[in-house]
Amino acid sequence: MIKLNSDDQMPSIMPSLYDEKDISRDALDSFIADTGRKKKQPLVLFGSNWCPDAQCLDAILGLPTFKVFLNQNFVIMRIDVGRYTRNMSLMAALGLPSQEGIPRVIILDLNGEPLNLESNDQWRSARQSDPQDIFEYVQTFKK
């Protein structure tokens, strides 16, 4: 496992990376197919800017060591769920019952098959989680 180091410090201001846009099923399917063709794994994040755990998870994903690993192996699509009124059907499209509670992290293999449906909600408490634990979790699903 790759370890975070002293350069990997949490920012003082949390990112707000969700764009409040509706995403079609076709756009999701195209993202998954295009990412697989690039020999990188799709990583789909369901969240919203109002959610402190989603913001914290995004900050952890942006830590320098984590970011290099992600850029080498994954492509991220952030899907804004608003107040659970936007893009919720896309959870079901990935094999997850449409439900509340974010962030949700869906990691797929190169063929677009979800790998972590049983544990996709593990980081709903990202604020109380160790960044290294999140980093190791993602590393275990690298194919």
Side-chain angles (χ1 to χ4, degrees):
M1 289 285 158
I2 301 168
K3 298 289 184 185
L4 298 174
N5 61 56
S6 60
D7 293 334
D8 297 306
Q9 299 296 315
M10 292 292 284
S12 57
I13 297 174
M14 293 291 114
S16 294
L17 301 176
Y18 293 91
D19 60 12
E20 300 182 5
K21 291 184 181 176
D22 292 326
I23 297 176
S24 70
R25 171 70 188 265
D26 287 342
L28 175 62
D29 291 343
S30 291
F31 164 77
I32 293 169
D34 292 345
T35 302
R37 279 192 289 275
K38 294 175 186 173
K39 301 297 182 208
K40 292 189 176 185
Q41 287 178 248
L43 193 152
V44 180
L45 296 176
F46 290 92
S48 197
N49 291 331
W50 60 262
C51 177
D53 289 301
Q55 288 181 312
C56 184
L57 180 61
D58 276 316
I60 293 168
L61 297 176
L63 296 175
T65 302
F66 205 156
K67 189 173 183 175
V68 167
F69 173 81
L70 287 172
N71 288 338
Q72 290 171 345
N73 300 290
F74 295 89
V75 179
I76 296 174
M77 175 183 246
R78 286 174 179 81
I79 298 178
D80 193 327
V81 300
R83 296 265 178 201
Y84 305 111
T85 58
R86 181 182 299 120
N87 297 315
M88 295 298 288
S89 65
L90 296 179
M91 285 186 186
L94 292 172
L96 179 68
S98 181
Q99 53 195 348
E100 295 183 7
I102 53 175
R104 298 277 177 166
V105 178
I106 308 294
I107 301 171
L108 300 102
D109 66 16
L110 294 175
N111 297 316
E113 294 299 318
L115 299 172
N116 68 323
L117 290 179
E118 299 80 30
S119 60
N120 71 82
D121 64 342
Q122 188 167 342
W123 307 115
R124 288 175 49 201
S125 58
R127 290 177 290 170
Q128 287 98 26
S129 300
D130 182 335
Q132 183 65 45
D133 291 342
I134 295 172
F135 190 25
E136 289 178 8
Y137 174 83
V138 173
Q139 288 180 66
T140 62
F141 292 100
K142 182 193 170 299
K143 297 293 175 194

